[in-house]
Amino acid sequence: MLRLAGARLLDDRDYPAVRAALAADPVGSCMVSARVEAAGLDPWRLGGELWAADSRPVRAGRLTGLCFAGPNLIPLRGNASALRSFADRALRRQRTCSSLVGPAPQVLGLWDELSSEWGPAREVRGDQPLMALEGDPLVPADPQVRTVRPHELDRYLPAAVAMFIEEVGVDPRAGDGGASYRARVSELISTGRAFARFEDGEVVFKAEIGAMSARVGQIQGVWVHPDRRGGGLGTAGTAAVVNRLVHGLGRTASLYVNGFNAPALAAYRRIGFQQVGQYATVLF
């Protein structure tokens, strides 16, 4: 059994307890649930590790702390002691994650433990309402929003890059010329999870279903062309993606949004989204 500084690497013996922990908060845990449902707990297939603060396998009952360590560090649950154990384990290796993201109390608590070694952060977004919608949107969906087709990748990609730069503050093409980001966008398109409204061959609205578990789909990358903002395209377009999730895929629609983005918050509330939690993100 692998142990390091109190945080334990989970394995298949822990699967029932992990599934129970994820099921307790299906919206908040969607990003991790999607990975676990597809890959189990093996780190190679999972694309990261799942850690627990418990010192021994928990075949039944409740995990007191749970954290995913992969491209992002996602602490899903845990008190101060659990977060210290996760920080201890994280600090034994070189940082490879691009962000901390997840429930705000756990993210901000873990960042308190890590900031002296990993800081300063490029940005700390401590107020990100986590929102969900299980039924019909309250506004009409845009009938011109549809799934993006594989041959449309080159027309869709500039909008995806523009969204990423605007939202995250860095160019996703940096480092490898955009090969990895292009591959990620291509995967979303090929699996039917990228949506857009095209006008004269140009994307004027886009959004994607990022993580998708058996119960929840998380909408991401909502973007409207700068020349078309203020006309309701974002609201109607997002409603179309909600319809696809709720009626086409049988999932609860979810998303999280920066608290300072008042127009987006207002739009999501008009659609019918309600806040169900609070997220935070630390960007490196």
Side-chain angles (χ1 to χ4, degrees), residues 99-112 121-130 167 256-261 265 275 277-283:
S99 70
L100 272 67
V101 61
Q106 281 69 42
V107 167
L108 298 177
L110 183 55
W111 181 236
D112 283 344
R122 182 164 56 83
E123 187 177 355
V124 177
R125 300 177 178 178
D127 176 20
Q128 295 180 309
L130 177 66
E167 173 63 22
Y256 62 99
V257 57
N258 293 314
F260 57 76
N261 193 342
L265 269 171
Q275 185 171 352
Q278 188 79 8
Y279 258 30
T281 302
V282 178
L283 296 169

Side-chain angles (χ1 to χ4, degrees), residues 33 85 149 184 200 241 246:
S33 294
S85 74
R149 300 169 186 132
R184 170 60 176 157
D200 297 324
V241 182
V246 173

Side-chain angles (χ1 to χ4, degrees), residues 225-279:
H225 192 287
D227 294 342
R228 299 296 304 277
R229 292 176 186 176
L233 281 180
T235 302
T238 304
V241 182
V242 169
N243 273 339
R244 174 61 179 158
L245 269 170
V246 173
H247 296 295
L249 297 171
R251 265 76 167 182
T252 295
S254 76
L255 52 81
Y256 62 99
V257 57
N258 293 314
F260 57 76
N261 193 342
L265 269 171
Y268 296 143
R269 287 171 177 149
R270 284 197 298 272
I271 294 167
F273 280 94
Q274 295 185 346
Q275 185 171 352
V276 297
Q278 188 79 8
Y279 258 30

Side-chain angles (χ1 to χ4, degrees), residues 45-87:
R45 296 195 307 270
L46 189 62
E49 298 178 350
L50 268 178
W51 303 339
D54 310 82
S55 60
R56 292 177 295 179
V58 182
R59 294 180 176 82
R62 185 173 185 272
L63 288 168
T64 59
L66 184 63
C67 182
F68 172 76
N72 304 298
L73 192 60
I74 308 175
L76 289 177
R77 60 166 59 189
N79 58 20
S81 176
L83 296 177
R84 281 194 296 273
S85 74
F86 297 149

